[in-house]
């Protein structure tokens, strides 16, 4: 059995043995971990400091093949303490013992992480640029590259900010990260967001409401692969289209980490045989959605920019390919296109 997929009873047995050792060694006082009702429960009346809890769970995660073991412990325990990371705590705070309530919450959340659930889902939130967004499975978790996409859009559109109003469309909104970040940065912006997943639409709406942007964001449950005319009627015209569409090649899906495959929505990742199924549809619809000289920004696979450029130039889609940009790993990742006037 794979380490990250070990049963609750097996995980509990390992932690129980480990805790006995830590208790004998004076690392933690009191009795060993218990398995109650199929869940991992903390030892009762156990004195555990913040630092000890990090050490315990880092070792546990490492033993069971959980990726980024130390970071996982850090994020979860910091979250329970009301912080983003433990680095923001004073050194003396690391030596303070967890309250009974804090200890129980740490154990409950870390037990979820032991199932390989991504940390973002475990703590039910994640930071994207300047915003903290609610997260829950199976809605796609935004990656650092998409923060770069937003930065690229904002930098490129500075010349347009003097307009009294701007309107953008996000195709495949997921948690709403892109739209909400743009709304946060551009006060005169109105946005439209759509997704084929009802879970994503609901989460975007929840995040928009929490952050106070619901009055500037229209959210639609639409599938651009099927709801073509309705998408055009509901969303156009816009100055900007921005999208991080599913762009993985189907053959590459099998090589993803197990925690991604098990918990995240495959339809937000799998772009078909060549990763361009949804991208082609966006390119086809863009001239109908954009205003004259409106721009489109896409996050894609590094193999896609030359293919997109050729497709646009050969098929005369009413678009002009303006250029490509690399991400922080120096891989081609972003495409900029413009509707011909």
């Amino acid at each position: 059995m794979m380490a990250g997929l070990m049963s609750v009873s097996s995980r509990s047995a390992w932690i129980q043995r480990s805790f006995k050792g830590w208790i004998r060694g004076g690392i933690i006082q009191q009795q060993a971990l218990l398995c109650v009702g199929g869940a991992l429960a903390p030892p009762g009346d156990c004195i555990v400091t913040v630092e000890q809890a990090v050490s315990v769970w880092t070792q546990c995660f490492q033993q069971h093949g959980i990726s980024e073991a130390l970071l996982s412990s850090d994020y979860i325990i910091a979250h329970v303490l009301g912080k983003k990371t433990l680095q923001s705590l004073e050194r003396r705070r690391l030596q303070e013992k967890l309250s009974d309530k804090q200890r129980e919450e740490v154990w409950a959340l870390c037990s979820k992480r032991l199932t390989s659930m991504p940390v973002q889902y475990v703590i039910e939130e994640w930071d994207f640029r300047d915003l903290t967004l609610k997260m829950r499975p199976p809605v796609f978790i935004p990656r650092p590259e998409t923060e770069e996409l937003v930065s690229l859009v904002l930098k490129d559109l500075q010349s347009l900010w003097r307009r009294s109003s701007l309107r953008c469309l996000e195709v495949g909104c997921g948690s709403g990260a892109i739209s909400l970040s743009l709304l946060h940065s551009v006060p005169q912006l109105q946005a439209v967001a759509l997704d084929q997943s009802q879970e994503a639409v609901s989460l975007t709406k929840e995040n928009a409401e929490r952050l106070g942007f619901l009055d500037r964001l229209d959210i639609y449950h639409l599938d651009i692969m099927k709801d073509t005319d309705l998408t055009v009627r509901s969303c156009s015209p816009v100055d900007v289209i921005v999208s991080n569409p599913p762009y993985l090649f189907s053959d590459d899906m099998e090589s993803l980490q197990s925690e991604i495959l098990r918990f995240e929505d495959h339809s937000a990742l799998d772009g078909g045989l060549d990763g361009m199924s949804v991208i082609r549809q966006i390119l086809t619809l863009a001239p109908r959605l954009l205003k004259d000289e409106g721009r489109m920004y896409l996050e894609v696979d590094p193999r896609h920019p030359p293919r997109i450029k050729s497709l646009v130039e050969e098929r005369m889609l009413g678009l002009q390919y303006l250029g490509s940009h690399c991400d922080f790993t120096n891989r081609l990742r972003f495409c900029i296109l413009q509707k011909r006037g």
Side-chain angles (χ1 to χ4, degrees), residues 141-158:
I141 300 167
R143 269 60 172 184
E145 293 88 344
T146 307
E147 295 191 21
E148 290 188 275
L149 174 64
V150 172
S151 296
L152 179 64
V153 174
L154 290 173
K155 181 180 178 180
D156 207 28
L157 293 182
Q158 283 181 348

Side-chain angles (χ1 to χ4, degrees), residues 189-205:
L189 183 68
Q190 296 286 328
V192 185
L194 63 85
D195 204 293
Q196 56 83 32
S197 162
Q198 181 59 61
E199 290 95 338
V201 169
S202 298
L203 186 56
T204 293
K205 183 175 182 180

Side-chain angles (χ1 to χ4, degrees), residues 279-287 296 308 311-312 317 319 337:
I279 292 172
R280 284 193 192 86
Q281 183 72 340
I282 296 174
L283 292 172
T284 300
L285 287 181
M296 178 163 62
I308 293 173
L311 181 63
V312 168
L317 295 173
L319 297 171
L337 302 96

